[in-house]
Amino acid sequence: MIDSIQNAFLDAQNTLNKFLHDHKNLTTIADIATDIKKIFENGGKVYVCGNGGSMCDAIHFAEECTGKFRKNRIPLPTIAFSDPGNLTCIANDFGFDEVFSRQVQAFGQPDDILIVISTSGNSTNIIRAAETAKSQKMQVIGLLGKDGGKVKQFCDRSIIAPGNTADRIQEIHIKVIHILIEHIERLMFPENY
């Protein structure tokens, strides 16, 4: 039992090391932080969506932006598409494939960003959300896994976590989310650091 626990931690460590050794990941995170800062400064909003654990990550990103991360500062306009009433209404009336795209269509503006979070990049509702965002001239950012899947083609910028299992991919995603928020804050509120 102890060996399998240790091996799980070592596997997580190896996945993180693999991610860190691809310098492109670090520059992409910096570029995304700059893009989001500009959106916020120009009065735009960030919308986030994902399924299952990725929805939990979307909610986590939104609450860190509208609440606070390290120190107090103004709330940053970020919404996770996670309202159960909204999701079930859209799923009932239009099908599960449209649960995010309808919300993008309702709220998204050309100067907004949509962040899609998906371990496979192949969920139809995520792909439809990204397609809709692009048709509305929004920027699309992907936190993805494996090879990025079909949604990658609709992303202006993407971070693709290494690993073959959802848990390892999601572990990278949550680290990216925290570091991304930190660097948005460093750009917008340097006095907090």
Side-chain angles (χ1 to χ4, degrees), residues 39-191:
I39 290 292
F40 287 148
E41 289 179 342
N42 291 326
K45 294 178 179 57
V46 174
Y47 301 98
V48 197
C49 63
N51 292 300
S54 295
M55 177 179 280
C56 296
D57 288 343
I59 294 167
H60 192 136
F61 182 85
E63 59 88 5
E64 296 281 21
C65 287
T66 57
K68 70 174 187 172
F69 186 61
R70 297 255 169 103
K71 292 184 180 176
N72 195 21
R73 42 99 173 130
I74 62 168
L76 302 172
T78 307
I79 297 170
F81 294 138
S82 59
D83 178 278
N86 213 345
L87 293 170
T88 56
C89 171
I90 295 169
N92 187 59
D93 293 345
F94 298 96
F96 193 69
D97 291 348
E98 304 302 319
V99 295
F100 301 129
S101 64
R102 296 281 297 182
Q103 294 178 81
V104 171
Q105 189 177 14
F107 300 111
Q109 298 295 315
D111 292 327
D112 293 337
I113 287 179
L114 174 68
I115 299 175
V116 294
I117 306 175
S118 175
T119 59
S120 71
N122 291 318
S123 300
T124 304
N125 58 4
I126 296 294
I127 295 166
R128 289 284 302 123
E131 288 174 328
T132 302
K134 294 307 292 179
S135 73
Q136 293 189 201
K137 299 184 177 20
M138 295 170 64
Q139 185 176 348
V140 178
I141 294 168
L143 292 183
L144 310 171
K146 299 182 181 166
D147 65 357
K150 295 175 186 172
V151 77
K152 183 182 173 191
Q153 66 184 310
F154 300 105
C155 295
D156 297 288
R157 298 189 195 277
S158 57
I159 299 278
I160 301 175
N164 295 316
T165 60
D167 54 332
R168 295 294 170 253
I169 293 167
Q170 288 172 343
E171 289 163 4
I172 296 296
H173 285 174
I174 197 61
K175 285 172 179 45
V176 169
I177 285 167
H178 283 153
I179 291 165
L180 186 57
I181 293 165
E182 176 186 340
H183 286 281
I184 293 165
E185 284 192 348
R186 284 181 181 276
L187 291 169
M188 295 184 73
F189 312 100
E191 65 278 8

